[in-house]
Amino acid sequence: MSDLIPPPIRVGAVSYLNSKPLIEDLEELADNAELMLDYPSLLADDLAAGRIDVGLIPSIEVIRSSEYEIISNACIATQGPVLSVKMYSRVPLGQIRRLALDMGSRTSATLVRIMLAEQYGVYPEVEPLPIEQAIESSSADAILLIGDRAIHAPEASFVATWDLGEEWLRWTGLPFVFAMWAVRRDQETGLLESALCRARDKGVTLLGEIARREAPKLGIDESVAESYLKNNLSFYLGPAECCGLRLFQDLAIKTGLAPEGVPLVFRNCISAG
């Protein structure tokens, strides 16, 4: 009989606070789902290699590969300051020559390079900032941090600080989508698409509870965590978010950071129009 039991659907989600509302009770809501948590960049590698079946992956990965479909209108987005994606610069922005990029990031790493190129004509040399290393360990002109550690303000002083969500909205007037649920095109997921939306809907109703649960683990005040989840993030991939996503794709292509001809494909979750 055990041969008739299908293998679990391996679902990879971001380990940061910003993903917690998307996975609230997901394993209970989804039949046969096995949840794994990791950094965004590693999830992208796992999905590409087939080590997971569904992943909450950086939006740039969907833009770069025609192998993926978006399977839920649950996402991690922002409609203004995002708090957890910041660039700190030791020099005026137009003088940045070396840029250290948080190794957990791919979408934000692309976004900051686009904004520097488009707004300042700057194309810095980039280098990795390992996830376990502090911002002070890098001597680069500017450093990009994402996730939970970006919420903590560094002790050092900087000439300029960019909140990438705030800067994107000021520049474009559109929301920005950092991560989406994606699947390889040949992967069957059963009723998982519905479960992902239901988990998100439940999580959104419990933001205060999630903040109380997660804040002590991160060493931040509960009020900061709750404000972050309620005021800095959006979890719905709607028409405005799709417009922002397509503009991001166009700019990534223009800057040479994404290939042309990759369609955004939505599987039974939202209109692609």
Side-chain angles (χ1 to χ4, degrees):
M1 291 295 291
S2 60
D3 293 339
L4 301 177
I5 300 174
I9 298 174
R10 299 163 299 174
V11 180
V14 181
S15 55
Y16 299 140
L17 174 60
N18 58 15
S19 78
K20 301 303 181 183
L22 297 183
I23 57 174
E24 188 71 15
D25 290 340
L26 178 58
E27 288 182 301
E28 296 177 15
L29 295 168
D31 293 335
N32 204 32
E34 178 183 340
L35 184 63
M36 310 172 191
L37 301 180
D38 214 327
Y39 295 106
S41 58
L42 300 181
L43 288 176
D45 292 341
D46 287 343
L47 185 61
R51 291 188 290 269
I52 58 176
D53 303 310
V54 179
L56 184 63
I57 65 171
S59 58
I60 187 62
E61 296 300 317
V62 178
I63 286 169
R64 285 175 173 162
S65 175
S66 59
E67 296 300 313
Y68 295 140
E69 294 179 351
I70 302 162
I71 64 163
S72 173
N73 63 10
C75 70
I76 298 175
T78 185
Q79 298 175 356
V82 69
L83 189 63
S84 57
V85 182
K86 292 180 180 177
M87 183 188 73
Y88 298 94
S89 182
R90 297 182 170 112
V91 300
L93 298 179
Q95 298 177 22
I96 295 173
R97 298 294 177 263
R98 288 173 54 221
L99 173 63
L101 300 173
D102 191 313
M103 287 184 66
S105 164
R106 290 192 181 168
T107 293
S108 302
T110 303
L111 176 59
V112 73
R113 293 172 71 186
I114 287 171
M115 294 197 301
L116 286 172
E118 290 290 312
Q119 297 188 41
Y120 291 91
V122 169
Y123 297 83
E125 177 184 344
V126 298
E127 59 190 53
L129 179 70
I131 293 168
E132 69 278 3
Q133 287 189 10
I135 193 171
E136 294 80 13
S137 67
S138 173
S139 62
D141 298 324
I143 300 98
L144 174 73
L145 292 183
I146 72 161
D148 298 336
R149 68 174 177 171
I151 296 176
H152 296 269
E155 295 181 2
S157 59
F158 293 89
V159 171
T161 300
W162 258 2
D163 180 303
L164 268 63
E166 181 177 32
E167 183 63 22
W168 173 263
L169 179 67
R170 184 198 64 77
W171 185 34
T172 69
L174 291 168
F176 189 82
V177 181
F178 287 98
M180 300 175 290
W181 288 111
V183 61
R184 294 183 307 280
R185 291 197 182 187
D186 60 349
Q187 178 67 49
E188 294 296 329
T189 57
L191 299 176
L192 182 63
E193 293 94 331
S194 174
L196 292 173
C197 289
R198 286 186 285 128
R200 182 270 319 278
D201 292 345
K202 182 172 185 178
V204 167
T205 68
L206 297 173
L207 295 180
E209 181 178 321
I210 293 170
R212 286 190 293 275
R213 184 180 71 213
E214 300 295 329
K217 304 175 188 178
L218 303 175
I220 60 177
D221 289 341
E222 178 185 318
S223 60
V224 173
E226 184 170 0
S227 177
Y228 170 61
L229 293 174
K230 289 184 176 180
N231 301 321
N232 296 108
L233 298 176
S234 172
F235 302 101
Y236 297 86
L237 186 63
E241 285 74 20
C242 287
C243 287
L245 185 62
R246 288 191 174 87
L247 178 58
F248 177 52
Q249 181 178 31
D250 291 343
L251 290 167
I253 293 169
K254 178 182 177 183
T255 317
L257 298 173
E260 296 185 36
V262 175
L264 293 176
V265 180
F266 299 86
R267 183 192 290 186
N268 303 324
C269 66
I270 191 169
S271 170

